[in-house]
């Protein structure tokens, strides 16, 4: 059973702070790592993906991957109330057949 | 110009009925998926088709039958609906292992 673990939260941060979301995975064969954001009642929306060890930055978002520790994280800088959502970590072996394993998500609340 | 569209958005029906959900993508992707998201928000894959061929079939009751008439469409038929089938069902698509794009979901409620 390939597992993806996330802290369920809720994680609550003030506006302007850095929100840090963490994810660990059990399958050492995992090659592709994704962060999806899901607002209540909406569909998952891709916000970041990372394939190589290290950091990847896109605007206020930074994804960090450490394959040796089987750990992937998402940092949100200058958090805004509009960032309040559930963040889903997903991993796959990266084949063309793309089976994704999702964590249960971390609920983030950014208060003004 | 919705990328992945599902119909219907809401489905309320009685136990024992048979229902279908349809999905279409206009992204030109060759792989499509069905996911189930339960009340605790856990998103789990059910099926995947690549170029109309079934490639992933998770441990799902055989009351659920997917069908892909072409690579842009993936439908899900459910027989003899049970209370435990109440969930949100998401369709998604991707190309060559790249990130998956999700539809808006179908909220199925069994009375």
């Amino acid at each position: 059973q390939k597992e993806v673990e996330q802290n369920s939260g809720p994680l609550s941060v003030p506006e302007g702070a850095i929100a840090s979301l963490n994810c660990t995975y059990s399958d050492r064969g995992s090659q592709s790592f994704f962060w999806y954001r899901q607002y209540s009642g909406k569909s998952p929306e891709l916000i970041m993906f990372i394939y190589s060890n290290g950091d990847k930055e896109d605007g206020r978002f930074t994804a960090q991957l450490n394959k040796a520790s089987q750990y992937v994280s998402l940092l949100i800088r200058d958090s805004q109330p509009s960032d309040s959502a559930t963040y889903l970590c997903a991993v796959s072996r990266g084949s063309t057949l793309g089976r994704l394993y999702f964590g249960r998500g971390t609920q983030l609340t950014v208060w003004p | 110009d919705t990328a992945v569209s599902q119909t219907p958005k809401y489905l309320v029906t009685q136990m024992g009925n048979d229902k279908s959900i349809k999905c279409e993508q206009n992204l030109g992707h060759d792989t499509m998926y069905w996911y189930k998201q339960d009340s605790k928000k856990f998103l789990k894959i059910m099926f995947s088709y690549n170029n109309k061929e079934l490639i992933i079939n998770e441990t799902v009751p055989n009351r659920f039958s997917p069908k892909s008439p072409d690579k842009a469409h993936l439908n899900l038929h459910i027989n003899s609906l049970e209370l435990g089938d109440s969930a949100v069902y998401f369709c998604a698509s991707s190309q060559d292992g790249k990130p998956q794009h999700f539809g808006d979901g179908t909220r199925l409620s069994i009375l």
Side-chain angles (χ1 to χ4, degrees):
Chain A
Q1 177 74 24
K2 297 175 177 57
E3 294 185 350
V4 179
E5 300 285 343
Q6 296 181 250
N7 290 331
S8 61
L11 174 65
S12 183
V13 301
E15 185 174 358
I18 296 175
S20 177
L21 304 157
N22 304 317
C23 173
T24 59
Y25 59 94
S26 63
D27 180 13
R28 284 199 171 274
S30 299
Q31 297 292 326
S32 305
F33 306 86
F34 307 89
W35 283 99
Y36 285 84
R37 177 176 63 199
Q38 188 174 24
Y39 292 112
S40 181
K42 300 295 185 181
S43 62
E45 172 194 10
L46 179 73
I47 53 172
M48 288 288 288
F49 60 91
I50 186 168
Y51 303 139
S52 304
N53 276 330
D55 294 1
K56 179 181 178 182
E57 188 174 317
D58 184 1
R60 296 186 297 112
F61 299 97
T62 299
Q64 299 175 315
L65 174 61
N66 184 327
K67 288 185 180 180
S69 300
Q70 295 176 248
Y71 176 92
V72 58
S73 66
L74 179 71
L75 300 177
I76 307 175
R77 290 183 299 282
D78 188 22
S79 295
Q80 302 296 309
S82 59
D83 294 327
S84 298
T86 296
Y87 289 80
L88 302 170
C89 173
V91 306
S92 84
R93 284 188 159 231
S95 72
T96 57
L97 305 182
R99 181 193 299 242
L100 278 183
Y101 294 91
F102 280 87
R104 291 186 176 270
T106 298
Q107 186 179 340
L108 172 67
T109 300
V110 181
W111 45 275
Chain B
D1 55 345
T2 304
V4 182
S5 60
Q6 297 179 227
T7 55
K9 289 195 72 170
Y10 299 94
L11 191 49
V12 181
T13 189
Q14 291 189 325
M15 219 165 41
N17 283 350
D18 303 338
K19 290 293 178 185
S20 292
I21 308 171
K22 296 186 176 183
C23 179
E24 176 181 3
Q25 54 94 4
N26 63 5
L27 297 166
H29 291 168
D30 59 4
T31 306
M32 296 183 71
Y33 311 82
W34 278 113
Y35 287 87
K36 179 181 180 181
Q37 188 169 45
D38 60 24
S39 58
K40 295 186 178 179
K41 306 300 183 187
F42 185 47
L43 197 60
K44 187 173 180 184
I45 191 165
M46 301 173 68
F47 301 104
S48 174
Y49 272 74
N50 178 259
N51 281 320
K52 301 193 299 176
E53 182 182 346
L54 179 66
I55 54 171
I56 296 174
N57 184 352
E58 289 292 283
T59 307
V60 176
N62 57 16
R63 298 182 294 104
F64 291 78
S65 52
K67 188 169 286 188
S68 181
D70 56 62
K71 73 174 192 175
H73 296 83
L74 180 60
N75 304 324
L76 183 65
H77 186 76
I78 315 171
N79 289 326
S80 303
L81 281 157
E82 299 177 358
L83 289 175
D85 298 332
S86 294
V88 182
Y89 292 84
F90 287 102
C91 177
S93 72
S94 71
Q95 178 76 26
D96 296 333
K98 291 188 174 65
Q100 296 179 17
H101 296 262
F102 285 78
D104 288 339
T106 295
R107 284 145 187 84
L108 175 62
S109 298
I110 309 302
L111 304 177

